[in-house]
Amino acid sequence: MTHIAIRVFQVAILTAWLGACGSSPHSNYYLLTAQQMPSASGQQPSLGIGPVAIPQYLNRTGLVYSKAGNQLQISSQERWAEPLEDGIERVLGLNLANLLNTENVRYFPWSAGQAPDYGIKVTILTLDASDSNATLVAEWLVYRADSGEPVNRRISQLQQALPSGPLQASQLAPVYSDLLYQLCEMIADEVKTAETPAQ
């Protein structure tokens, strides 16, 4: 093989390799979203959101969901556009602000000298989906932030049915957003009860 033929062969190999790299699947990115509602306009009650904790197996960029038995699917192309913990905290704040009609929302950690009326801690125990439904299990605490006095602590389990057929990763962000809104409704009800003067 002549020197020119070797060079042509090397260029052909390099071109094929670059073409293969360029054709690798692209990633899709997803965000959790808050429920669309009229914008909050009040200042009371003031809310402190966080900390929010998630299981370690969810602490990754790829979307995670169930396969069979105890097996998980971790997507390599379907990804969260922000850390999941941050997305949950952001959506909790937006939903609760609208449900309680307050713009006075801050995120953990806040200044000890400017504690909000209520602190809201959330620990996600399960956030998962299978072919039939999506599940959110969360332990949450509403407390008076200045004193640390608990208002209520609960573990809530929420489920939402999914369309029939194999689970698509693109379904996860919308259905998880809906489940988080349902959780926010429960939390908001506790704050409203605490704000209602005793008869």
Side-chain angles (χ1 to χ4, degrees), residues 31-71:
L31 280 173
L32 295 169
T33 53
Q35 193 80 6
Q36 292 295 319
M37 291 181 285
S39 297
S41 57
Q43 289 297 314
Q44 295 298 324
S46 56
L47 304 175
I49 310 296
V52 170
I54 63 173
Q56 192 59 37
Y57 75 89
L58 291 175
N59 190 19
R60 59 186 73 243
T61 56
L63 273 61
V64 180
Y65 49 95
S66 287
K67 285 183 74 177
N70 293 335
Q71 195 174 10

Side-chain angles (χ1 to χ4, degrees), residues 35-41 94-95 97-102 181:
Q35 193 80 6
Q36 292 295 319
M37 291 181 285
S39 297
S41 57
L94 289 169
N95 282 334
N98 285 322
L99 285 165
L100 293 165
N101 191 33
T102 180
Y181 180 71

Side-chain angles (χ1 to χ4, degrees), residues 12-184:
I13 292 294
L14 180 60
T15 302
W17 181 78
L18 289 173
C21 291
S23 64
S24 56
H26 72 281
S27 295
N28 297 310
Y29 292 89
Y30 300 92
L31 280 173
L32 295 169
T33 53
Q35 193 80 6
Q36 292 295 319
M37 291 181 285
S39 297
S41 57
Q43 289 297 314
Q44 295 298 324
S46 56
L47 304 175
I49 310 296
V52 170
I54 63 173
Q56 192 59 37
Y57 75 89
L58 291 175
N59 190 19
R60 59 186 73 243
T61 56
L63 273 61
V64 180
Y65 49 95
S66 287
K67 285 183 74 177
N70 293 335
Q71 195 174 10
L72 292 175
Q73 176 74 37
I74 302 173
S75 178
S76 56
Q77 273 82 47
E78 312 299 316
R79 298 173 178 268
W80 293 114
E82 63 185 333
L84 182 57
E85 213 168 58
D86 294 348
I88 292 171
E89 188 175 70
R90 174 179 56 79
V91 167
L92 289 175
L94 289 169
N95 282 334
L96 288 167
N98 285 322
L99 285 165
L100 293 165
N101 191 33
T102 180
E103 295 180 309
N104 197 345
V105 176
R106 61 203 77 166
Y107 293 89
F108 185 85
W110 46 80
S111 168
Q114 295 181 324
D117 297 328
Y118 299 96
I120 296 156
K121 294 181 182 178
V122 176
T123 300
I124 303 298
L125 303 175
T126 300
L127 185 61
D128 193 18
S130 63
D131 287 345
S132 57
N133 57 56
T135 303
L136 167 63
V137 182
E139 179 184 7
W140 51 274
L141 169 67
V142 177
Y143 65 99
R144 298 191 184 276
D146 56 350
S147 65
E149 176 190 358
V151 172
N152 200 356
R153 180 192 296 271
R154 290 178 58 186
I155 294 179
S156 298
Q157 179 169 331
L158 301 164
Q159 286 194 327
Q160 186 158 318
L162 293 172
S164 59
L167 175 66
Q168 302 297 317
S170 59
Q171 297 172 313
L172 297 184
V175 75
Y176 287 173
S177 297
D178 289 344
L179 290 170
L180 286 169
Y181 180 71
Q182 294 173 44
L183 179 66
C184 288

